[in-house]
Amino acid sequence: MNIKILKDILSANDQIAERNRALLDKHKVFALNVMSSPGAGKTSLILDTIRTLKKRKRVGVIEGDISSTIDAEKVKKERVPVLQINTGGECHLDAAMINRALENMPLEEMDLLFIENVGNLVCPGEFKLGEDRKVLIVSAPEGDDKIYKYPLLFHLADAVVVNKIDLLPYTTFDVDGFSKALKGLNQKARLFRVSCTTHEGIEDWTDWVLSTMRPPKQTSRRQPRP
Ligand code: MG
Ligand code: ZN
C-alpha cells in the first residue's frame, strides 16, 4: 500500500515535470537542477557561473530552501531574476513548486535557469522538475564516500562537480578513486574539479554549460534520457 502511494505521488510529479519542460521549451530556457548536501557550494557555484556567463547568457535562478531567503539575497545582488521557494519543511523541490515558480519568472528574458535544490543527497533524486540536466556537487571536505552512501544521485547526474579543491591537501578526498567510482556508476557523467574560492576549474565548468546548452544539429535541443 505504501509503495502504491509513493508511485502515485511520483507519477503525478512526473506529469507536472513534463509540463514544466514544455513551458521551458516554449521560452527556450535551458534548466539545470543543482543538487548537493548542505554547504557543498551550490549557491557559490551558481554565483561564480553567473559572473562568468552573464555577458553571454541571460541567467535566472530559483532558490529552494526549507526556510530563509539568505541565498536568494546573495543571487539578487548579481541583478538577475531570482525566485525563492521556501518548502516549509520539505527536504526537496517537486515539480509543482517549480511550476508555480516558473509562472512568476520572466522566462522570455532568460536563456539559462539554475534551480538550486534543497541541500539533501537523498530524495531530490526521486523528483523530476522538468530540468534539462542534473548537476551534483560534492565538496572535498565532506569526503569521497558520498558516492557509495548515496549512489542514486550520482547515477542520475549529467555532471558531477567536486568543489573546494583548494582544500584537497587538508582532506582525505581521493579524486582519482572518486572518478573511478563515478565511471563505475555512471558512464555519461562529466566530472569537474573546481574551487569557487580560487575560481580554479570554473572555466571548464562554464564551457560545459555553454556546450550542453547548444542544440544538437537538426534535432530537438534535448538529448534523450537513458
Ligand atoms: Mg545555497
Ligand atoms: Zn525530501
Side-chain angles (χ1 to χ4, degrees):
M1 188 61 185
N2 283 335
I3 291 168
K4 174 77 170 69
I5 291 168
L6 179 63
K7 272 188 180 162
D8 286 349
I9 290 170
L10 288 176
S11 83
N13 182 78
D14 287 0
Q15 284 171 25
I16 302 170
E18 282 305 315
R19 295 217 300 269
N20 292 346
R21 282 190 91 127
L23 188 62
L24 292 164
D25 259 348
K26 186 178 152 198
H27 294 278
K28 297 189 167 58
V29 177
F30 191 86
L32 298 175
N33 179 4
V34 182
M35 296 170 282
S36 79
S37 52
K42 292 183 295 302
T43 312
S44 302
L45 184 70
I46 290 168
L47 287 171
D48 244 16
T49 310
I50 291 171
R51 288 169 192 146
T52 309
L53 293 184
K54 77 175 167 189
K55 285 187 181 144
R56 283 176 281 178
K57 297 291 173 191
R58 299 168 303 169
V59 185
V61 181
I62 295 174
E63 279 291 336
D65 282 293
I66 290 173
S67 66
S68 95
T69 56
I70 295 168
D71 289 348
E73 296 297 334
K74 287 183 197 165
V75 173
K76 216 172 171 181
K77 288 186 183 146
E78 300 299 322
R79 297 168 181 274
V80 299
V82 54
L83 198 138
Q84 176 78 56
I85 297 174
N86 279 149
T87 63
E90 286 290 345
C91 49
H92 56 267
L93 294 175
D94 66 32
M97 296 174 194
I98 298 303
N99 194 265
R100 284 191 293 277
L102 293 178
E103 281 169 10
N104 289 288
M105 292 200 85
L107 296 179
E108 63 287 354
E109 294 162 26
M110 288 162 40
D111 308 307
L112 176 61
L113 171 65
F114 285 97
I115 302 169
E116 180 177 335
N117 217 310
V118 179
N120 176 356
L121 286 176
V122 188
C123 40
E126 308 273 3
F127 289 83
K128 291 179 189 165
L129 304 179
E131 72 274 45
D132 293 272
R133 301 285 184 272
K134 291 183 197 295
V135 176
L136 181 56
I137 305 173
V138 57
S139 68
E142 62 184 304
D144 51 21
D145 57 353
K146 289 285 188 292
I147 190 164
Y148 302 108
K149 292 183 177 173
Y150 308 100
L152 175 67
L153 270 178
F154 288 90
H155 175 69
L156 295 173
D158 297 291
V160 175
V161 178
V162 178
N163 187 24
K164 309 190 191 181
I165 55 163
D166 51 311
L167 301 179
L168 277 174
Y170 313 104
T171 72
T172 56
F173 197 106
D174 169 11
V175 181
D176 291 335
F178 177 82
S179 171
K180 276 182 199 136
L182 180 62
K183 282 214 176 74
L185 263 181
N186 181 343
Q187 297 280 338
K188 73 176 160 81
R190 292 285 308 271
L191 179 65
F192 298 94
R193 303 157 198 226
V194 311
S195 165
C196 296
T197 308
T198 65
H199 311 295
E200 192 180 344
I202 291 295
E203 236 181 85
D204 280 349
W205 153 251
T206 53
D207 282 352
W208 176 79
V209 172
L210 291 173
S211 67
T212 195
M213 280 177 76
R214 267 188 215 127
K217 269 182 197 162
Q218 292 172 350
T219 60
S220 135
R221 72 195 178 91
R222 301 192 185 276
Q223 290 167 9
R225 315 278 322 182

